[in-house]
Amino acid sequence: MTNSPDARVASRRRRRPSNGMGSMLSRSRAPRATPMPASESPKIPAASARLGAERWHGGNHEAIEQAIATETPLAVTYNGESYVVMMGSPADLEDFALGFSLAEAIVKRASEVGPIRVTDHGRGLQIDVTIPERRARMLGVRSRNLAGRAGCGLCGIAELDQALRPLPQLAPGPVVSSRVIAAAVESLPALQPLNSEVRAVHAAAWFTVEGKPVLAREDVGRHNALDKLIGARARMAPDGDYAPGFAVITSRMSVEMVQKAATAGIGLLVAVSFPTTLAIETAEACGLTLVAGARDEGFQAYTHPERIAETRP
């Protein structure tokens, strides 16, 4: 099947982006941890856009339109000083800034983060974060190169010692039923409206110990998705008094995902894909229950299985 040249040209024109940013859970904003002003300006791009392509199938081709995930540079600054540039989705940017600050141990609690402002520079977005000056001075010791890929959480770390930073020892609990974990993983696709549209983004979700979904965040970067979840969770409990629960991520379980979860006080982290050796070693050392390969109602617990309760028929 073929189309006329005019039809093909028209199909390639960029259409108005769909918002693609909705989530049945994440749109219900939790209370803000600090008086942060609304930051997302009308110029910030949507999380997806409809673009033209030539689809080939069975020897025939046709002009089509499809939703494509938006990927844009996100430059994070602290108190006016550049810190890192990540590639990510232009959605839930305040959650991202707060979660990144907590997960990277730049601040200890959400209440230390002041106003967050987002500026569109055309070729990317700048996220200006305000933190106490004593915290800002410490960033000079943890310098990063100003470049990071969407799939790399440790990109830009200047020193190896900083890449494997000390982690807090996690307290015991909570205990979660194996059936609840399997059901949470099974429910994850329904919490990914952007991915259902573009098939190209990761997600991180928070569930209660009973398996009720509380929060879900999506991003083209797996680390960004977890940062956004951590930030959204922090808004719900700015003093760190979190209700028991666990996190589920769509990506593989690498060491930086374990680091972020442990730093944020998440004791049970579940991944759809599989772990690396360093992720297992790090989780074992800090007391985190690492569950991976979660699919088809089954999973593997690699560390601290005492947080998982056997479910009898």
Side-chain angles (χ1 to χ4, degrees), residues 142-186:
R142 298 176 53 196
S143 61
R144 284 177 175 245
N145 299 320
L146 296 183
R149 298 184 182 91
C152 181
L154 295 179
C155 292
I157 293 289
E159 301 292 340
L160 289 176
D161 288 344
Q162 296 170 28
L164 301 177
R165 66 180 187 270
L167 297 175
Q169 192 67 29
L170 296 169
V175 176
V176 180
S177 159
S178 60
R179 185 171 295 173
V180 164
I181 294 174
V185 174
E186 186 178 0

Side-chain angles (χ1 to χ4, degrees), residues 150-151 202 219-227 251-252 254 256-257:
H202 286 290
D219 198 278
V220 292
R222 56 196 176 92
H223 310 93
N224 299 346
L226 183 56
D227 284 335
S251 65
R252 78 177 189 272
S254 53
E256 61 270 31
M257 303 298 270

Side-chain angles (χ1 to χ4, degrees), residues 60-163:
N60 297 318
H61 72 282
E62 61 179 329
I64 64 168
E65 264 196 0
Q66 68 180 97
I68 304 295
T70 303
E71 183 178 21
T72 190
L74 304 175
V76 181
T77 75
Y78 288 97
N79 295 9
E81 295 292 327
S82 296
Y83 184 65
V84 68
V85 177
M86 303 295 290
M87 302 302 295
S89 298
D92 300 305
L93 297 178
E94 290 188 16
D95 288 340
F96 168 66
L98 177 58
F100 179 84
S101 301
L102 290 166
E104 295 294 319
I106 292 169
V107 297
K108 296 295 184 183
R109 59 186 65 86
S111 57
E112 291 184 283
V113 176
I116 296 173
R117 282 182 283 273
V118 180
T119 306
D120 184 1
H121 288 279
R123 298 184 64 183
L125 303 175
Q126 181 171 313
I127 308 172
D128 297 303
V129 187
T130 304
I131 59 175
E133 280 301 324
R134 60 188 177 86
R135 297 292 188 197
R137 287 193 295 270
M138 295 171 62
L139 293 182
V141 182
R142 298 176 53 196
S143 61
R144 284 177 175 245
N145 299 320
L146 296 183
R149 298 184 182 91
C152 181
L154 295 179
C155 292
I157 293 289
E159 301 292 340
L160 289 176
D161 288 344
Q162 296 170 28

Side-chain angles (χ1 to χ4, degrees), residues 25-49:
L25 301 174
S26 62
R27 295 312 86 182
S28 299
R29 288 292 190 185
R32 295 186 185 276
T34 55
M36 301 175 188
S39 62
E40 297 190 14
S41 74
K43 294 180 62 179
I44 290 177
S48 69

Side-chain angles (χ1 to χ4, degrees), residues 105-308:
I106 292 169
V107 297
K108 296 295 184 183
R109 59 186 65 86
S111 57
E112 291 184 283
V113 176
I116 296 173
R117 282 182 283 273
V118 180
T119 306
D120 184 1
H121 288 279
R123 298 184 64 183
L125 303 175
Q126 181 171 313
I127 308 172
D128 297 303
V129 187
T130 304
I131 59 175
E133 280 301 324
R134 60 188 177 86
R135 297 292 188 197
R137 287 193 295 270
M138 295 171 62
L139 293 182
V141 182
R142 298 176 53 196
S143 61
R144 284 177 175 245
N145 299 320
L146 296 183
R149 298 184 182 91
C152 181
L154 295 179
C155 292
I157 293 289
E159 301 292 340
L160 289 176
D161 288 344
Q162 296 170 28
L164 301 177
R165 66 180 187 270
L167 297 175
Q169 192 67 29
L170 296 169
V175 176
V176 180
S177 159
S178 60
R179 185 171 295 173
V180 164
I181 294 174
V185 174
E186 186 178 0
S187 71
L188 198 56
L191 309 179
Q192 300 176 252
L194 178 58
N195 190 60
S196 68
E197 182 184 18
V198 301
R199 302 294 182 185
V201 297
H202 286 290
W206 182 255
F207 294 83
T208 67
V209 292
E210 295 80 21
K212 178 183 177 182
V214 179
L215 292 165
R217 292 291 184 269
E218 300 182 82
D219 198 278
V220 292
R222 56 196 176 92
H223 310 93
N224 299 346
L226 183 56
D227 284 335
K228 289 178 178 180
L229 178 69
I230 291 170
R233 178 172 169 261
R235 293 182 189 282
M236 298 184 69
D239 296 324
D241 185 19
Y242 303 112
F246 62 101
V248 181
I249 59 177
T250 59
S251 65
R252 78 177 189 272
M253 185 78 77
S254 53
V255 64
E256 61 270 31
M257 303 298 270
V258 171
Q259 290 174 325
K260 288 176 179 292
T263 303
I266 297 173
L268 174 54
L269 183 61
V270 180
V272 171
S273 193
F274 288 88
T276 64
T277 56
L278 188 54
I280 294 173
E281 294 169 9
T282 304
E284 181 64 39
C286 71
L288 182 143
T289 299
L290 189 158
V291 172
R295 57 187 71 182
D296 299 327
E297 298 186 354
F299 57 81
Q300 286 75 250
Y302 292 89
T303 62
H304 299 281
E306 63 271 13
R307 288 194 180 89
I308 303 173

